[in-house]
Amino acid sequence: MAVRPFRPPRFDVSVALAGLAGGLLLWGFGLGVRPDSDPVVLFGGRWALLVPLGVTACCELLRRTAPRTALAVGTLALAADVMTQGSIATIVMYTDLMYAAVVYGSPATARRLPWITGVLTLAGMLVPYAVYRVPEALLIGLVVGAVTFAPASTGLIVRNHRDAAVAARLQAEQTALLAEMDRVQAVTAERSRMARELHDLVANHLSAIAIHSTAALSLDDPATSKDALAVIRENSVQGLSEMRRLIGILRDGADDREPAATPTLDGLGGLADNARANGLDVALDAEPGAVPAPVELAAYRIVQESLTNALKHAAPGRVSVSLHRSPDALEIRVTSPYGDRDGPRAPGSGAGLVGMRERAALLDGSFGACPEGGPEGTLWVVRATLPVTDVEQGEM
């Protein structure tokens, strides 16, 4: 496996070249930090300071890729620079190495370096003052602090702001993701609700149209055909009216229509009359009392769909619809003769039972539909229990 060549970032190369060029310029003019006669200068001459300068410039190439290594080598180079006449460029580049070690180093390095350099700064002030007992000795600690503690503290501030910005960006992305998930969930729920509403609005009328049109085509009786066509026309008109109401709800900014009323349990009588006109023998026993609007709409749609299923699938006989209000729930029960019916039947997809079960589940109610035996024979029984106490409390 081939080893990729080391390529420092372009900015780091620029920093290293700028520091080296500045140091060479100062060296060319003979500008150093200390004179050759200073007692701390162990390696006299102008050429000696070029070694720490070159090493520190090379360390700048590692300021982001290996910041701790660059700082360690740079510290040795700074110590060597102290033993020469010194260069301002070497000191400036070392402060950048200290800054980069905190900003680009590990979290542990970023936490420890400001404390270490702070302790060194304090020691650089107290120890020389304790030895020499002159105020000028405090300047040593100030120099140490300017070279080490100041860049380390600055790097820590920059790193904290950078981490805070990254955290804020991640939080914003998570918030946007959650908002998108909520939007998709809301759209899905709304599509399911509109699918139930569309099915409940037109299934009854289309089922009646299909049954009576099949009867009109299969029976060669002008009177029967005329009655069937009358029922077909009535259901077509009512179905179109319901479709217009639904389209009006979906249309945005439609100022040319009046708001449509939501079906209520007061309309169960008309629903039963319509079922009788379609050929069902319906007995209605409704004492719902006052119930919340969501429960009222769900109960109306469940009864409507039960009558539609009875029209499509039930055998001839009486269809009983009963609604009774208990202290905490509305009980719905619809029974119809179970078995094969004589005459044409409309195909069903089972969406009606699914929609009724979903309506009950949305209100934390229960729903069941199954055949049951009784004195009058086998009946198809639809039961639904819709709680009213929680809904009423939620609306208050």
Side-chain angles (χ1 to χ4, degrees):
M1 183 177 179
V3 179
R4 296 180 60 185
F6 171 71
R7 292 183 179 179
R10 186 173 299 178
F11 179 79
D12 296 349
V13 175
S14 301
V15 171
L17 292 178
L20 182 61
L24 291 177
L25 183 63
L26 294 175
W27 177 81
F29 284 103
L31 299 177
V33 179
R34 292 169 294 275
D36 193 25
S37 59
D38 195 295
V40 300
V41 177
L42 301 181
F43 304 98
R46 296 180 55 203
W47 296 94
L49 61 85
L50 293 180
V51 176
L53 177 65
V55 172
T56 307
C58 292
C59 291
E60 287 282 27
L61 299 175
L62 305 175
R63 62 190 297 273
R64 264 190 282 195
T65 55
R68 290 191 296 181
T69 301
L71 180 62
V73 176
T75 301
L76 296 178
L78 182 66
D81 184 75
V82 174
M83 301 177 188
T84 66
Q85 292 184 4
S87 174
I88 295 294
T90 301
I91 299 174
V92 171
M93 285 191 290
Y94 180 79
T95 60
D96 180 68
L97 294 177
M98 181 66 70
Y99 168 85
V102 176
V103 174
Y104 304 112
S106 64
T109 302
R111 289 193 304 267
R112 293 169 184 170
L113 275 181
W115 288 98
I116 294 174
T117 55
V119 171
L120 291 177
T121 300
L122 188 60
M125 296 177 65
L126 298 180
V127 173
Y129 181 77
V131 173
Y132 297 105
R133 297 291 180 175
V134 292
E136 290 79 1
L138 297 175
L139 296 176
I140 298 176
L142 295 179
V143 173
V144 173
V147 176
T148 59
F149 180 71
S153 301
T154 304
L156 182 61
I157 294 173
V158 172
R159 183 180 182 122
N160 289 338
H161 281 287
R162 185 191 63 185
D163 293 345
V166 172
R169 184 169 63 251
L170 291 177
Q171 185 177 5
E173 293 176 356
Q174 292 176 354
T175 302
L177 180 60
L178 292 175
E180 178 64 17
M181 293 175 62
D182 291 341
R183 186 193 68 82
V184 172
Q185 185 177 4
V187 170
T188 303
E190 183 65 15
R191 290 179 62 181
S192 300
R193 187 185 71 84
M194 295 309 301
R196 290 193 303 270
E197 195 71 14
L198 178 61
H199 177 273
D200 293 342
L201 284 176
V202 300
N204 183 38
H205 301 297
L206 293 181
S207 297
I209 291 172
I211 291 173
H212 287 280
S213 61
T214 304
L217 291 174
S218 60
L219 300 177
D220 189 12
D221 185 357
T224 303
S225 300
K226 183 177 180 180
D227 294 339
L229 290 175
V231 175
I232 291 173
R233 182 186 182 281
E234 181 181 356
N235 281 276
S236 300
V237 172
Q238 293 179 359
L240 286 174
S241 176
E242 295 285 357
M243 286 296 296
R244 288 193 186 98
R245 189 178 75 85
L246 180 61
I247 293 173
I249 295 174
L250 296 176
R251 185 184 295 119
D252 294 330
D255 298 331
D256 56 347
R257 63 177 179 87
E258 295 182 357
T262 303
T264 64
L265 294 181
D266 294 335
L268 290 179
L271 196 62
D273 293 339
N274 185 49
R276 296 188 187 101
N278 290 328
L280 290 179
D281 181 10
V282 180
L284 178 62
D285 179 16
E287 297 178 0
V291 295
V295 176
E296 194 169 18
L297 177 60
Y300 181 91
R301 294 305 186 196
I302 290 175
V303 173
Q304 183 184 42
E305 183 58 30
S306 299
L307 294 177
T308 300
N309 289 340
L311 178 65
K312 292 191 295 183
H313 305 298
R318 170 156 293 194
V319 178
S320 299
V321 179
S322 64
L323 286 85
H324 296 282
R325 163 73 184 270
S326 64
D328 58 353
L330 177 65
E331 304 289 342
I332 305 171
R333 187 174 185 268
V334 182
T335 62
S336 58
Y338 181 75
D340 295 332
R341 61 176 295 162
D342 297 331
R345 297 176 62 182
S349 62
L353 293 177
V354 175
M356 288 189 286
R357 184 173 289 106
E358 288 178 351
R359 288 186 182 275
L362 288 175
L363 297 174
D364 294 330
S366 60
F367 174 82
C370 62
E372 294 183 4
E376 300 177 357
T378 304
L379 300 176
W380 179 261
V381 181
V382 176
R383 288 190 178 90
T385 302
L386 306 179
V388 296
T389 54
D390 293 340
V391 178
E392 289 175 347
Q393 292 173 0
E395 292 180 344
M396 291 179 63

